Amino acid sequence: MGNRLVGYGSYLPSRVVTNADFERAMDTTDEWIVERTGIHARHFADKKETVVDMATNAARAALKNANLKIDDIDMIIVATTTPELDFPSVAVTVAGRLGATNNMPAFDVRGACTGYIYALHCARGFFTAGMHERIMIIGAEKMSRFVDMTDRSTAVLFGDGAGALIFERSTSSYSGIIDTVVMSDGSKFDMLHGSEDHKIIMNGPETYKMAVSLMPDAARYIMEHAGITQDDIDWIVPHQANIRIIKSCAARLGFPIEKILITVDQHANTSGASGALALAYAFDNNIIKHGQLVLYPAFGSGLTWGATLIRV
Ligand code: ACO
């Protein structure tokens, strides 16, 4: 039992924060940020704009793109690490906002930057078991809520946004979410985590080292698991954390940079939203075409890491 991608959508808050804005707020420079991260700008939600607001906007766009109504969906999974409320879940609230009347199951997964892959992993399992017809995956984050303007080493790295993908059951096992692999190592908790007062605690150089080793590992593992080679892959859409991490992973895998989608320059690191947001950007700009095979490796707090193969 397989699945196929039938719709996508995204949402970015209207407020664009440039490196020049950070230069005015702290001891940093556009040159340092661009050289070390590749980031030029990011979107920040307004104070009142929530993860639910952003997720709902992306979901609405995906439904429109798929020409479906909310009751055509029979499960929503939201990847988020930054919900405003501990309960209920963002997924349930989005279903309510969109007027769902079918009592569908809806829940959140917290996998930090790898959350999107954890959500896709769940969806693949449900489809394989033949349990659901149409599943909407949303990645939505308000990272700006955690941005500590007294810490220049983390403040410049993150952005807000949401992306949504809709998959439906199909008889083909060569379309949609073809494979997923997800992993974790909780002993590395200290490397990158949130604090009780909503700040990001990160050992940047250690995080960098782990990212450039584990993301290629996950990519190699999933290609082997799926029985494909690099030549079968049309695009790598890596988690958008940092241009140097992306380029180093591409080099370690021997992938040409032309096959790597890059949005970190304009979106920064949107954590669990990064994958769906990047894919939506690629469709909107005619970069990735329907039918192509996309490999998405990710890495994040936990540690968590993994990869997915999607024929879009
Ligand atoms: N502007 C100017 N200088 C800065 C800034 C800034 N915004 N931030 C740090 N510096 C300074 C430091 O204070 C330090 O100065 P010092 O040498 O006088 O002490 C110097 O720059 C070098 O600091 P490092 O931390 O060693 O810089 P590094 O080259 O490692 O780059 C960075 C820092 C960009 C955070 C890098 O370590 C990195 O990308 N790490 C991965 C982190 C990441 O992407 N995390 C996201 C979450 S996980 C994920 O999504 C993969």
Side-chain angles (χ1 to χ4, degrees):
M1 200 64 80
N3 64 90
R4 65 192 185 103
L5 180 67
V6 293
Y8 73 92
S10 65
Y11 174 78
L12 286 163
S14 57
R15 185 175 156 221
V16 175
V17 179
T18 64
N19 293 345
D21 294 322
F22 277 98
E23 283 180 337
R24 282 188 283 276
M26 61 178 61
D27 181 16
T28 191
T29 61
D30 174 58
E31 195 189 358
W32 191 96
I33 300 170
V34 172
E35 192 202 312
R36 303 289 177 117
T37 73
I39 297 166
H40 292 263
R42 70 289 285 149
H43 294 249
F44 276 3
D46 286 338
K47 213 167 181 192
K48 284 191 178 151
E49 194 168 32
T50 65
V51 168
V52 168
D53 293 332
M54 292 190 281
T56 305
N57 286 333
R60 201 171 274 128
L63 286 170
K64 190 170 175 212
N65 179 260
N67 201 16
L68 293 170
K69 297 191 177 54
I70 186 62
D71 280 351
D72 296 325
I73 306 295
D74 63 2
M75 175 176 275
I76 297 178
I77 310 175
V78 174
T80 187
T81 311
T82 51
E84 280 75 14
L85 301 178
D86 289 329
F87 56 88
S89 68
V90 171
V92 166
T93 318
V94 168
R97 287 261 190 103
L98 292 173
T101 60
N102 60 357
N103 304 128
M104 74 174 109
F107 60 94
D108 296 352
V109 295
R110 280 197 182 192
C113 298
T114 321
Y116 167 68
I117 300 181
Y118 271 79
L120 290 167
H121 187 66
C122 296
R124 183 169 75 90
F126 287 120
F127 281 126
T128 306
M131 290 170 67
H132 286 274
E133 282 299 321
R134 279 195 204 95
I135 303 180
M136 172 139 57
I137 305 290
I138 306 172
E141 301 280 12
K142 187 171 178 180
M143 297 305 292
S144 60
R145 219 159 58 81
F146 284 79
V147 164
D148 173 5
M149 293 305 272
T150 66
D151 180 3
R152 66 180 180 171
S153 67
T154 56
V156 299
L157 301 177
F158 296 96
D160 302 338
L165 303 174
I166 300 173
F167 295 90
E168 77 178 15
R169 192 169 6 172
S170 138
T171 48
S172 166
S173 53
Y174 298 105
S175 61
I177 315 160
I178 290 173
D179 206 353
T180 50
V181 53
V182 283
M183 285 175 268
S184 76
D185 178 359
S187 72
K188 303 275 190 318
F189 169 92
D190 286 345
M191 197 178 291
L192 173 59
H193 61 91
S195 66
E196 278 177 19
D197 56 348
H198 291 153
K199 289 185 177 153
I200 295 163
I201 314 294
M202 181 180 74
N203 180 333
E206 278 305 311
T207 305
Y208 184 97
K209 270 190 239 158
M210 293 304 287
V212 299
S213 151
L214 294 177
M215 283 210 287
D217 278 356
R220 280 189 213 100
Y221 179 91
I222 203 163
M223 285 189 282
E224 197 183 320
H225 193 247
I228 61 164
T229 68
Q230 289 189 197
D231 294 341
D232 299 313
I233 309 272
D234 295 300
W235 286 95
I236 295 198
V237 181
H239 169 52
Q240 305 286 320
N242 177 319
I243 194 76
R244 287 191 304 148
I245 292 178
I246 293 173
K247 284 186 173 165
S248 171
C249 290
R252 283 170 189 232
L253 286 166
F255 267 92
I257 198 73
E258 303 78 50
K259 275 190 167 189
I260 318 285
L261 183 76
I262 292 165
T263 57
V264 68
D265 55 335
Q266 296 305 318
H267 298 169
N269 183 348
T270 58
S271 189
S274 146
L277 197 50
L279 209 50
Y281 171 89
F283 288 141
D284 283 340
N285 290 282
N286 236 348
I287 300 169
I288 296 182
K289 312 263 185 312
H290 288 288
Q292 290 190 316
L293 187 60
V294 173
L295 168 60
Y296 179 87
F299 171 91
S301 169
L303 297 180
T304 54
W305 69 101
T308 183
L309 277 173
I310 306 179
R311 190 169 293 284
V312 298

